[in-house]
Amino acid sequence: MAEENRQVLDVDVLFVGAGSASLAGALHLKKLSVNAGLDISIAIIEKAREIGAHSLSGAIIDPRALNELIPDYLEKNVPFESEVGEESMYYLNSKGKFRFPYVPKTMSHHGCYVASLGQFTRWMGKICEGAGIDIFCGFSGTELLYENKKVIGVRTGDRGIDKHGKPKPNYDQGVDIHAKVTVLGEGTRGSLSKTLINKHNLMKDKNPQVWAVGIKELWQMPKGSVKAGYVAHTMGFPLGHDIFGGAFIYGMKNDILDIGLVVGLDYKDPSIDPHHELQLLKTHPWVRSLIQDGKMISYGAKSLPEGGYFSLPKLTVNGAMLIGDSAGFMNGQRLKGIHLAMKSGMEAAETILKALQKNDFSDSTLSCFQSRIDKSWIKTELYKVRNFHQAFDHGLLSGMASAGLGLLTGGRAWGMFDRVSSKNGYEHLAKLSVDSNTNGGSNNKYEHLVYDGKYLFDKAANVYHSATAHDEDQVPHLHVNEIDICISRCTEEYGNPCENFCPADVYEMTGEKDDRHLQINFSNCVHCKTCDIMDPYQIITWVPPEGGDGPAWVNL
């Protein structure tokens, strides 16, 4: 385990994470470099055992970036389910629904495609490999490497370490990958991205990122019962007017129905449970009718960066860049980020090409990435909705009114304010002694839920359907500093909300009084990062587990 014996791999450009942002960026850079007569090496590392295994989204893909990157994507058999056809928006109460008379143009999905993000990234991965890009799956980036205050690459995690930190017979030391430019496209709340942002104070003068968590199930329905390309979005039940979010229902090929719920991670009541909210959604008569005689076949969860333009961090430092969800490129109003992630990767590639030609990888050169973003359609799209999520701090009705005025005023909140400040989502949580409506994790909303194993599922059953697997004989990848806070202070002040906000039953308070302790069931983790985001004391840190561990999503 001696550090001096660690293998070093040198590449010109390293992308961390094989999501849509990195794959698009790497492919575009490869094309640019060939056209410029440069022979460069490009590598991508991915913590999942295969591309797409950790990819989850609704998903509806706006093909705008894809049209630029791979104009003949249809001829290349892109694995889209269907072009969006019938599209509706509904307001739900507990028993009925009201259909909005039209879908606003800014929220319309005309010309977009229902897709599985996992299948899409697998397809893109094959194109990248065919172009000569090296993709290494099962390798998680665990540490940024520095030299003279410049990022020079990434260290990958050791494999075969037991829960006591000792090497097992299958021990395999990680490698140091050195690169002229390291591009972080790890997805939401990536561990290296978080480290980079904090170390270099990249959120200075920015709004804090605002997060949501999406919980999703796939349902296999009877033959001929699902129309591919069907799209419905809802608001109201079960979240009500005080919690940001809503549901999505999409039709896929082979009679598969996507049902999901997005819950803003800036709610007040610490007993709110996003997983239970999805189960509540399925008690609605209309939603229940849609899944009648169906079978739930897959489950997953993912956090979403919804802060918008003013929550984007500074995007570069010496030797490194942030792209995709790692930076926060998502349109919260449209609930879409794949096309923005891809375009951010492509703009990063244009920036890197210039740096390669100048042989200068300093921040002064890479920082033109921000100006490229601001001159592209990324800013045009994001700036129009720059205050969208923040306007919902005062509830659904206020947020809808502000969104409507924003259409007329170019995105000004409530028609007046160019920039609305925000605070971290966990800072919205009300202490039990402050808000009499909070009740420490025994929310009456859920008391009548009956997990019948047919339509409604507890967290353990859902985790089973995520195909999540971790070797339990490893150091847990969920680190809790000052664990005494969980047992005493958090119990009294918030009622241990980690038991509620985690959609995978990872956190469990056991025992009574003096024997009370926190049990961390890390093998359940579906890698959504909600705990790292929503913990009110910010003492939970998510880091990658052993490479290859985690969910094994196929069609999510």
Side-chain angles (χ1 to χ4, degrees):
M1 296 180 66
E3 295 299 321
E4 60 268 20
N5 295 326
R6 191 174 293 269
Q7 181 181 353
V8 175
L9 172 65
D10 288 299
V11 299
D12 290 303
V13 183
L14 172 66
F15 289 81
V16 181
S20 54
S22 290
L23 293 167
L27 182 60
H28 192 49
L29 179 59
K30 190 67 176 180
K31 292 178 180 180
L32 291 171
S33 62
V34 170
N35 291 338
L38 298 178
D39 182 17
I40 64 170
S41 55
I42 304 172
I44 304 173
I45 59 171
E46 166 58 42
K47 66 182 175 66
R49 65 196 71 177
E50 64 171 339
I51 296 176
H54 292 176
S55 295
L56 183 151
S57 182
I60 295 178
I61 296 180
D62 182 333
R64 187 170 187 179
L66 190 58
N67 280 324
E68 297 177 10
L69 181 66
I70 311 173
D72 59 342
Y73 59 89
L74 292 177
E75 289 77 12
K76 292 184 181 297
N77 297 314
V78 62
F80 289 158
E81 299 293 315
S82 174
E83 188 170 357
V84 171
E86 180 184 349
E87 182 177 7
S88 302
M89 287 182 62
Y90 295 98
Y91 176 84
L92 306 183
N93 59 28
S94 61
K95 300 296 182 184
K97 70 180 190 298
F98 168 79
R99 180 173 179 172
F100 289 86
Y102 74 101
V103 179
K105 184 178 180 180
T106 55
M107 302 177 72
S108 170
H109 299 88
H110 177 73
C112 299
Y113 295 87
V114 175
S116 157
L117 182 58
Q119 297 289 14
F120 178 66
T121 52
R122 288 182 179 91
W123 174 78
M124 283 196 65
K126 291 178 181 178
I127 293 176
C128 285
E129 289 177 326
I133 297 164
D134 295 314
I135 302 178
F136 303 100
C137 292
F139 290 87
S140 54
T142 59
E143 183 182 345
L144 291 169
L145 301 175
Y146 283 85
E147 184 178 276
N148 298 325
K149 298 183 179 181
K150 175 183 180 292
V151 176
I152 60 166
V154 166
R155 175 165 294 171
T156 67
D158 297 344
R159 292 187 281 191
I161 300 291
D162 69 19
K163 60 186 177 183
H164 303 294
K166 303 295 183 182
K168 296 187 287 189
N170 64 334
Y171 172 71
D172 184 20
Q173 189 180 53
V175 300
D176 285 354
I177 305 178
H178 290 180
K180 296 171 181 174
V181 183
T182 300
V183 187
L184 300 183
E186 304 172 284
T188 52
R189 197 70 163 193
S191 56
L192 296 182
S193 304
K194 178 182 173 181
T195 299
L196 188 80
I197 289 169
N198 291 341
K199 179 179 178 67
H200 296 276
N201 196 21
L202 301 184
M203 292 301 291
K204 182 182 179 182
D205 300 324
K206 309 287 186 175
N207 280 359
Q209 186 57 264
V210 181
W211 305 90
V213 61
I215 317 291
K216 179 181 177 183
E217 294 176 351
L218 293 187
W219 283 74
Q220 180 65 63
M221 302 304 299
K223 187 174 181 180
S225 63
V226 175
K227 184 178 180 180
Y230 172 77
V231 168
H233 290 97
T234 77
M235 59 185 69
F237 180 84
L239 300 178
H241 290 189
D242 295 328
I243 302 174
F244 178 87
F248 59 89
I249 301 169
Y250 303 154
M252 299 174 73
K253 291 188 294 190
N254 302 316
D255 296 292
I256 293 176
L257 195 67
D258 300 0
I259 295 184
L261 187 70
V262 174
V263 181
L265 294 176
D266 50 3
Y267 51 78
K268 295 180 181 179
D269 185 346
S271 66
I272 291 298
D273 188 313
H275 167 274
H276 291 2
E277 294 290 331
L278 176 60
Q279 305 312 306
L280 269 180
L281 173 72
K282 293 183 293 177
T283 67
H284 189 278
W286 173 61
V287 178
R288 175 60 62 87
S289 73
L290 294 177
I291 58 176
Q292 193 72 30
D293 300 322
K295 179 182 179 182
M296 198 270 286
I297 57 173
S298 190
Y299 169 82
K302 176 186 181 290
S303 52
L304 310 169
E306 296 202 340
Y309 182 77
F310 290 127
S311 294
L312 295 175
K314 183 178 181 298
L315 299 172
T316 59
V317 301
N318 290 326
M321 311 172 76
L322 291 162
I323 61 173
D325 279 356
S326 289
F329 287 105
M330 180 180 162
N331 183 331
Q333 185 182 71
R334 298 181 74 200
L335 197 60
K336 258 196 217 41
I338 296 169
H339 66 300
L340 294 165
M342 292 177 65
K343 182 64 171 175
S344 73
M346 293 162 67
E347 294 294 352
E350 298 271 0
T351 305
I352 294 168
L353 177 68
K354 299 298 183 184
L356 289 165
Q357 291 172 328
K358 293 171 59 178
N359 195 31
D360 180 0
F361 310 101
S362 65
D363 186 41
S364 60
T365 295
L366 297 181
S367 61
C368 71
F369 179 36
Q370 181 67 61
S371 62
R372 295 195 64 89
I373 293 293
D374 287 340
K375 292 175 183 176
S376 75
W377 51 259
I378 289 180
K379 182 178 180 181
T380 303
E381 179 172 335
L382 288 184
Y383 200 71
K384 289 178 180 178
V385 295
R386 58 194 180 277
N387 297 306
F388 178 75
H389 189 117
Q390 290 82 351
F392 284 82
D393 278 355
H394 301 284
L396 177 62
L397 297 180
S398 174
M400 290 179 64
S402 178
L405 288 170
L407 295 177
L408 302 174
T409 61
R412 291 180 181 272
W414 301 290
M416 298 179 290
F417 303 106
D418 189 64
R419 174 177 176 175
V420 177
S421 61
S422 62
K423 59 184 180 181
N424 291 296
Y426 62 85
E427 294 179 296
H428 289 262
L429 283 175
K431 294 182 179 180
L432 305 184
S433 58
V434 173
D435 188 342
S436 60
N437 292 322
T438 62
N439 45 33
S442 57
N443 198 316
N444 291 331
K445 288 184 72 175
Y446 314 128
E447 65 180 357
H448 297 301
L449 282 176
V450 178
Y451 302 111
D452 56 13
K454 183 176 182 181
Y455 295 112
L456 307 183
F457 304 90
D458 62 19
K459 292 182 182 180
N462 272 135
V463 169
Y464 172 79
H465 283 94
S466 72
T468 293
H470 295 84
D471 182 352
E472 296 200 25
D473 188 18
Q474 64 176 292
V475 177
H477 65 283
L478 296 156
H479 301 168
V480 181
N481 302 320
E482 302 179 76
I483 202 164
D484 287 346
I485 289 178
C486 305
I487 298 167
S488 56
R489 186 177 166 190
C490 188
T491 301
E492 297 170 1
E493 293 183 337
Y494 295 103
N496 302 119
C498 61
E499 293 184 292
N500 305 318
F501 57 59
C502 174
D505 248 0
V506 169
Y507 301 95
E508 182 181 359
M509 297 301 300
T510 64
E512 299 291 337
K513 295 182 179 179
D514 293 342
D515 293 327
R516 189 171 171 81
H517 69 280
L518 175 64
Q519 179 172 312
I520 302 176
N521 305 309
F522 75 90
S523 59
N524 286 1
C525 179
V526 295
H527 297 201
C528 68
K529 325 286 181 62
T530 303
C531 56
D532 194 306
I533 293 164
M534 198 59 181
D535 164 44
Y537 304 99
Q538 292 295 283
I539 57 174
I540 298 176
T541 300
W542 188 98
V543 298
E546 187 168 293
D549 283 5
W553 295 322
V554 175
N555 216 25
L556 285 166

